[in-house]
Amino acid sequence: RRALGKYTLQAADTAAVRAVALSACGNYAFLGLATGAIEMVNMQSGLARRTFAGHAKAVTGIATDACNQRVFSTALDGTLRVWDFATGAQTHVLALPATASRLEIYREGALLACACDDACVRIVDADALRVVRTFAGHGSRITDLAFSNDGRWVVTASLDSTVRTWDLPTGYMVDWFRVESVAVSVAFSPTGDFLATAHMDSVGIFLWANRTQFVDVSLRQISPDAADASGVAGAALVPLPTSAGLAADDGEPGAEPGADSEAGAAYLAPEQLTDNMVTLSTQPRSKWQALLSLSTIKKRNQPEKAPRAPEQAPFFLPSVAGVEQRFALDEPSGAEPARAADESRLISVALESQLARILYRAQETGAYGPVFAYLEALGPSAVDVEIRTLPVDDDLRALRAFVQAVTAQLQSKRDFELAQAYLHVFIGVFADVIRLNARELEPQLAALRAETQAQWATVDGLIRYSACMVDYMRGV
C-alpha cells in the first residue's frame, strides 16, 4: 500500500531542504539544509533527534554507512565531512578539488562517489578518507551516478547526453553510449541485471539489460576519441528502449547498442595464462548460480494449485459429417491403437543419455574436454536433467566416468567454479548410491578429494592474501 505518511518532514527553521537520505536501518531521515546544517529526524515519530552543524554553505549530498556509525556529507563549500552518528560530532574533513554536487555510497565496500562541478567523479575510500580514483571525460555537468550491485562499476549520466560505465579496479571507462534525451537519473537493479534510466522531457523509466550477465563481454579501456560504427568520433547514438525492445532486436540494420569502433576486432582472452594458474570460466555467473539454486527456483515457480479438468464441455466440439447437425462425443475407434503406438514409442527410447555416451567415449580416449564443452553449451535445467539421468548400472560406469571428468578438469586448473557447481549437483543426486558403493568408487573418489583440496587451498590462499593486502593498504 502506497500512501502519504502522517508526518511531513521539514527543518525546524523552515530552511530549504537541498538533500535527503535514509539510514541503513530505515528508522532515521537526514535533511541537508541550504544553511549548511543537517537534521536527523525519526521516521516513526517525525521528531528531530540531532543536528549536524559545520558546513558553511548548502548541503548537496548525504550518506550513511551500513552500521549507523558514520554520516557523510558534501556541500557547496567544497568539503566532504564525516560525522559521528550517535553524537553528531564532526570527526574528519576532506577538502575536494572541486565542489561536489552529488554523493553516493557503496556500503559493502565503504566507498563514496562524489560528482563534482568540474565534470569529474571522485571515488573516496570512506575508511582511509582519501581520493582513490578520479574519472574524467564528461563534457558537461554530471546529473546522476550509481554503483553496480557488486561495487565494481560506477555508471554516470551527464548533460552531454552520454551514459558512461567506469571500472573501479582499473580506473578505465569500459562502456559508453549517447541518447537523444539527457538522462537525469540512473539506478542499478539489486542483482545487476538491469540499468534503469529516467530522461528529460519523459515520464517513463527505461530499462537496459546488462549483457555481461548473459554473454562473455571483453571490457577494455575505451578512448573518448574512438569512432562509432558510422565513423563519427564519440559515443554511438542509441535509441531509447520501447515496450517492443530495441530496434536492433527486430533485425533492423545498425550497430549494436553501446558498441565501439573496436567491436569488430573483439579481444579474445586466452583460456588460461599459465598452466599453474587456477582459472575461472568465461560463463556468465548467473548460469552456474542458477544451477546451485535450481530446486528453490522450481519450487518457487510451481503453481499453487494443481490444474483441474473443465467442468463443462469445450466451446468447440467435433461434428459428424452428414445433413443433420450432430457432435462426435464418443471416443474414436482408432484412439486405442494410437495410444498404444505412443506408449511403444516412449518405451523404445534409449536409456543412455547424450552425456553418458560422451562420458563413455572420454573414458576410452582419456580426453575429458568434450564433457565440459557439452555441459557448458546447456542451460541450468538441461544440465540438471543430464546429470540426473546418468544410468546407474552394476559396474557404475557412468558415475566413475563423471568423477574422473571432474578430476581431470580440476587438474587442468580451468573452469574451477563450473566444476564445483557440477560436482555439487552430482553429489546431491547420487549421494545415496555413492555411500552404498563407497568401496567400489574409492579410487576415483580419493583422487577427486585430493585434487579438490589442493585446488581449494590455492584459491583460499589467494583470497586471504588479497584480503590482507586490502586491509594493509587501507591503513597506510
Side-chain angles (χ1 to χ4, degrees):
R1 187 177 68 89
R2 297 177 177 85
L4 185 65
K6 59 181 178 180
Y7 299 115
T8 300
L9 306 182
Q10 60 181 6
D13 56 356
T14 66
V17 178
R18 297 296 180 84
V20 295
L22 278 175
S23 62
C25 63
N27 293 326
Y28 299 97
F30 294 86
L31 309 180
L33 308 181
T35 59
I38 301 173
E39 291 191 1
M40 185 174 73
V41 182
N42 186 281
M43 294 293 292
Q44 282 73 32
S45 64
L47 300 177
R49 294 302 185 191
R50 196 167 292 111
T51 300
F52 305 82
H55 284 294
K57 295 184 179 180
V59 178
T60 58
I62 307 173
T64 65
D65 64 358
C67 301
N68 285 354
Q69 294 182 348
R70 294 175 295 176
V71 179
F72 308 92
S73 62
T74 55
L76 294 179
D77 56 9
T79 61
L80 169 65
R81 298 176 186 257
V82 186
W83 315 83
D84 186 87
F85 191 98
T87 63
Q90 178 180 296
T91 58
H92 296 89
V93 180
L94 176 65
L96 298 173
T99 302
S101 58
R102 297 191 66 86
L103 177 65
E104 292 290 336
I105 186 172
Y106 177 63
R107 290 191 172 102
E108 289 76 4
L111 294 175
L112 299 167
C114 304
C116 300
D117 286 345
D118 58 354
C120 293
V121 176
R122 291 176 171 86
I123 307 299
V124 179
D125 188 330
D127 294 332
L129 205 66
R130 63 178 181 179
V131 178
V132 295
R133 287 287 187 272
T134 299
F135 299 134
H138 279 293
S140 186
R141 185 173 67 87
I142 297 173
T143 57
D144 198 13
L145 72 163
F147 281 99
S148 62
N149 63 314
D150 57 359
R152 182 180 178 88
W153 298 337
V154 174
V155 176
T156 58
S158 171
L159 290 177
D160 59 7
S161 298
T162 62
V163 178
R164 307 184 183 220
T165 303
W166 311 87
D167 188 65
L168 276 174
T170 62
Y172 295 152
M173 182 178 69
V174 295
D175 187 39
W176 68 331
F177 61 91
R178 183 163 48 93
V179 290
E180 296 179 352
S181 179
V182 174
V184 295
S185 181
V186 293
F188 261 102
S189 64
T191 57
D193 294 342
F194 296 97
L195 174 71
T197 61
H199 297 261
M200 191 177 296
D201 301 329
S202 176
V203 295
I205 298 176
F206 301 89
L207 296 180
W208 308 81
N210 182 3
R211 290 192 299 139
T212 60
Q213 296 284 333
F214 314 104
V215 296
D216 182 29
V217 178
S218 176
L219 297 179
R220 290 185 293 166
Q221 181 182 10
I222 297 177
S223 172
D225 299 329
D228 61 6
S230 61
V232 181
L237 180 61
V238 179
L240 293 177
T242 64
S243 58
L246 290 171
D249 296 337
D250 299 330
E252 297 182 7
E256 187 176 283
D260 54 87
S261 61
E262 300 174 346
Y267 172 72
L268 298 178
E271 293 185 1
Q272 196 173 21
L273 297 179
T274 65
D275 295 338
N276 297 324
M277 180 180 294
V278 178
T279 308
L280 302 181
S281 70
T282 57
Q283 296 291 318
R285 183 173 56 181
S286 58
K287 192 171 183 178
W288 59 268
Q289 284 183 342
L291 181 61
L292 298 178
S293 307
L294 196 59
S295 59
T296 304
I297 296 174
K298 290 181 179 179
K299 184 177 180 181
R300 182 186 60 191
N301 294 339
Q302 72 181 49
E304 297 180 358
K305 296 181 179 179
R308 297 185 303 175
E311 299 179 357
Q312 299 180 355
F315 185 80
F316 295 102
L317 296 177
S319 59
V320 179
V323 179
E324 298 180 0
Q325 184 177 3
R326 292 185 303 169
F327 297 103
L329 301 179
D330 298 332
E331 188 175 4
S333 58
E336 289 299 330
R339 185 182 298 119
D342 293 339
E343 292 177 355
S344 63
R345 284 198 299 268
L346 291 175
I347 295 174
S348 63
V349 173
L351 298 178
E352 191 176 279
S353 63
Q354 178 67 16
L355 177 59
R357 289 192 289 270
I358 297 176
L359 283 171
Y360 297 157
R361 193 179 306 114
Q363 195 176 36
E364 295 174 356
T365 59
Y368 292 94
V371 177
F372 270 71
Y374 173 70
L375 292 176
E376 289 177 7
L378 302 178
S381 298
V383 171
D384 183 75
V385 171
E386 287 286 351
I387 295 178
R388 289 180 180 274
T389 54
L390 286 176
V392 181
D393 46 18
D394 295 337
D395 58 352
L396 304 176
R397 183 184 178 187
L399 303 190
R400 293 175 190 272
F402 189 88
V403 173
Q404 292 171 348
V406 176
T407 304
Q409 191 69 17
L410 292 175
Q411 290 174 347
S412 67
K413 295 183 174 59
R414 291 183 298 179
D415 301 342
F416 178 78
E417 81 283 17
L418 275 184
Q420 297 296 330
Y422 297 155
L423 183 61
H424 173 84
V425 177
F426 176 79
I427 293 177
V429 174
F430 298 103
D432 295 336
V433 179
I434 294 174
R435 184 170 57 253
L436 295 176
N437 300 274
R439 187 182 301 275
E440 290 79 0
L441 297 173
E442 176 61 28
Q444 292 78 19
L445 295 177
L448 176 61
R449 180 170 57 249
E451 195 62 36
T452 302
Q453 291 175 351
Q455 297 301 328
W456 173 243
T458 303
V459 175
D460 185 58
L462 292 174
I463 293 175
R464 293 177 182 272
Y465 175 80
S466 301
C468 291
M469 287 298 298
V470 169
D471 291 340
Y472 172 76
M473 296 303 296
R474 282 184 173 180
V476 174

